[in-house]
């Protein structure tokens, strides 16, 4: 199983950014892709997840109303569209995979390298 997050960068407050997670080597057991983030000096927190097979999504509180998780038709690329970005959204964003629909990071067994998102004026 391989995961690779990409597309991070710097954006001004109120701006938008879409980051991607390329996934390969999956079996049906690992059917959930989650997004997490870790800001400097803070613990990692869940952003949301998508069930690859049917596209069902879940958003944690920080993401509700501003972020959207989606997938390509081939189900191998997962996107995190972030709108209305705030300085508090500055973090390294990670994608990971689990075999159950959960936002608990301890249930995610494979992790990709993160991509930095910086929101600053």
């Amino acid at each position: 199983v391989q995961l690779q997050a990409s597309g991070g960068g710097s954006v001004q407050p109120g701006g938008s950014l879409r980051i991607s997670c390329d996934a390969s080597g999956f079996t049906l057991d690992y059917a959930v892709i989650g997004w997490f983030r870790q800001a400097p000096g803070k613990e990692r927190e869940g952003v949301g997840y998508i069930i690859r097979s049917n596209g069902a999504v879940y958003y944690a509180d920080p993401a509700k109303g501003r972020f959207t998780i989606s997938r390509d038709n081939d189900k191998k690329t997962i996107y995190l569209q972030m709108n209305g970005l705030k300085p508090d959204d500055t973090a390294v964003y990670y994608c990971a995979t689990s075999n159950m629909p959960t936002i608990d990071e301890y249930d995610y067994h494979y992790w990709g390298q993160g991509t930095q998102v910086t929101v600053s004026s």
Side-chain angles (χ1 to χ4, degrees), residues 3 21 23 26 30-36 48-52 69 75 78 95-98 108:
L3 298 163
C21 176
F26 283 89
Y30 289 96
V32 177
I33 303 292
W35 282 103
F36 297 82
Y49 65 77
I50 186 167
I51 300 175
R52 296 172 71 225
I69 300 173
K75 305 174 187 177
I78 307 298
C95 58
T97 182
S98 173
Y108 284 77

Side-chain angles (χ1 to χ4, degrees), residues 34-115:
W35 282 103
F36 297 82
R37 67 184 186 183
Q38 187 166 22
K42 296 185 178 180
E43 294 186 352
R44 188 161 55 192
E45 66 175 349
V47 175
Y49 65 77
I50 186 167
I51 300 175
R52 296 172 71 225
S53 59
N54 62 14
V57 295
Y58 167 86
Y59 298 102
D61 286 344
K64 289 179 180 177
R66 298 188 299 128
F67 294 2
T68 302
I69 300 173
S70 61
R71 59 188 168 102
D72 261 355
N73 289 336
D74 64 5
K75 305 174 187 177
K76 293 182 179 179
T77 302
I78 307 298
Y79 301 102
L80 177 63
Q81 174 70 44
M82 301 179 286
N83 300 325
L85 284 163
K86 308 172 183 178
D88 284 350
D89 295 317
T90 295
V92 177
Y93 284 72
Y94 299 89
C95 58
T97 182
S98 173
N99 58 3
M100 63 181 70
T102 174
I103 201 61
D104 188 337
E105 66 177 286
Y106 295 104
D107 290 320
Y108 284 77
H109 306 294
Y110 294 96
W111 293 77
Q113 290 185 331
T115 186

